[in-house]
Amino acid sequence: QVQLVESGGGSVQAGGSLRLSCAASGSISSVDGMGWFRQAPGKQREFVARTHSIGITNVADSVRGRFFISRDGAWKTIYLQMNNLKPEDTAVYYCNVRKEGIDYWGQGTKVTVST
């Protein structure tokens, strides 16, 4: 199994930056991809960014140019650098790992962006 723990969330002013981290442990070999989703109050969880085992990254249109995903070489930690944060970025951010077609999720870290 895979265990995921997010950290780095907090409260920031609009225009500020945060860097989220996701520490992965357990059976993290042979992952298909790792990424981030978010869920704003009253809304469905949505895709934010993902990096694949082949080295390709995908970023949602809503955060393109502001958010950047990266990982360490051993796939033990993935990061989400969030710049120029906007109030609409307020959400709980969840780390996701897909391994052999199965999705694993962390408990989430809260990000609040105020005007």
Side-chain angles (χ1 to χ4, degrees), residues 7 9 33 35 42 52-53 58-59 61 64 70 74-75 82 86 89 99-102 104-105 108:
S7 62
H52 301 274
S53 60
N58 301 104
V59 181
D61 290 343
R64 185 169 292 113
S70 61
W75 293 84
M82 305 186 295
K86 303 176 180 180
D89 295 319
K99 178 181 177 179
E100 299 175 344
I102 300 174
Y104 299 85
W105 299 92

Side-chain angles (χ1 to χ4, degrees), residues 34-74:
M34 302 180 69
W36 294 91
F37 289 69
R38 68 185 182 186
Q39 188 166 17
K43 296 184 178 180
Q44 189 174 352
R45 188 174 299 186
E46 65 176 357
F47 168 79
V48 176
R50 191 175 201 91
T51 182
H52 301 274
S53 60
I54 60 175
I56 301 298
T57 60
N58 301 104
V59 181
D61 290 343
S62 60
V63 303
R64 185 169 292 113
R66 300 188 297 120
F67 291 12
F68 303 88
I69 188 169
S70 61
R71 62 172 178 87
D72 64 15

Side-chain angles (χ1 to χ4, degrees), residues 1-4 23-29 31 34 97 99 104-105:
Q1 63 180 30
V2 175
Q3 295 83 42
L4 304 171
S25 61
S27 300
I28 57 174
S29 62
V31 299
M34 302 180 69
V97 167
K99 178 181 177 179
Y104 299 85
W105 299 92

Side-chain angles (χ1 to χ4, degrees), residues 95-114:
C95 180
N96 166 259
V97 167
R98 175 163 289 186
K99 178 181 177 179
E100 299 175 344
I102 300 174
D103 284 319
Y104 299 85
W105 299 92
Q107 294 299 307
T109 185
K110 185 181 296 183
V111 172
T112 301
V113 184
S114 60

